[in-house]
Amino acid sequence: MRLRITKYDPANRDQQGHYTKNDWISIGDIGNSYDGKIFTAADYFAMEDAYCESVKLLLQAQKIDHLFISRYSRTVSIPSFFTSTKFYNMRDELIRPLHLSQSWNAIEIMIRLTLREEFWCSFKGKYGTYLHFGYGFYMFYGSKRSVDLSTINFPKCIFIEENFPSPYLSAE
């Protein structure tokens, strides 16, 4: 099973697969206008919740209760405010133990922080499971173990596209 999990409706793709609508791609787009509507923090957090719920549902369907961080990078550009605070310096101390196997609560925190571009990470787990994040709010989930996706009630704003291997697999 190799999935691309996105907020992008496949109906809005051209024949080459490019998304044709002007849409937000990161938390940094809050306050911008798309299709005549201001993108708000509430809009962002609702989508972030939907992404987390989608991963949780997939893990539950596969009876996976732990993942661990396979790669981590804080090369993401961080505003200077954060680099001068205790929060930023504590980040590595908080992340270090997360390389160990993590339950859902820790995984969810890491997903949220990755989607918010605080850093970048990827996960792996049993059954060859992986979870990767791409630019523009793309997420890739794979496993050697299949699951009947039609039995999972994903959030309505999420699109699950099958047979999409992660472009980040070769880096694992």
Side-chain angles (χ1 to χ4, degrees), residues 19 21-23 33-38:
Y19 196 71
K21 285 184 72 176
N22 182 26
D23 203 350
S33 178
Y34 299 94
D35 287 334
K37 183 177 180 246
I38 299 295

Side-chain angles (χ1 to χ4, degrees), residues 16-145:
Q16 290 77 36
H18 300 116
Y19 196 71
T20 58
K21 285 184 72 176
N22 182 26
D23 203 350
W24 65 272
I25 61 170
S26 80
I27 194 168
D29 291 331
I30 292 173
N32 294 337
S33 178
Y34 299 94
D35 287 334
K37 183 177 180 246
I38 299 295
F39 175 56
T40 67
D43 297 330
Y44 172 83
F45 291 120
M47 187 59 69
E48 183 181 276
D49 289 345
Y51 270 62
C52 289
E53 181 66 15
S54 298
V55 173
K56 184 176 184 179
L57 291 168
L58 284 164
L59 292 174
Q60 287 173 342
Q62 293 194 293
K63 304 206 181 331
I64 296 172
D65 57 2
H66 286 78
L67 293 176
F68 67 92
I69 295 172
S70 56
R71 293 185 5 204
Y72 165 77
S73 171
R74 60 175 205 170
T75 59
V76 176
S77 175
I78 298 171
S80 60
F81 168 77
F82 291 114
T83 61
S84 63
T85 66
K86 290 181 182 179
F87 169 78
Y88 182 78
N89 295 328
M90 289 174 46
R91 183 176 304 159
D92 283 343
E93 295 303 313
L94 294 169
I95 299 304
R96 193 169 292 115
L98 294 177
H99 285 279
L100 304 173
S101 181
Q102 294 301 308
S103 64
W104 172 247
N105 290 339
I107 293 166
E108 181 180 16
I109 290 167
M110 297 298 291
I111 290 170
R112 289 181 186 281
L113 293 174
T114 301
L115 290 172
R116 294 176 193 177
E117 301 173 345
E118 290 291 329
F119 50 77
W120 184 87
C121 73
S122 62
F123 296 93
K124 62 183 176 179
K126 66 182 180 180
Y127 312 124
T129 300
Y130 64 81
L131 177 63
H132 297 159
F133 301 88
Y135 178 77
F137 241 71
Y138 283 93
M139 195 163 59
F140 299 89
Y141 182 93
S143 179
K144 293 177 184 172
R145 192 177 197 196

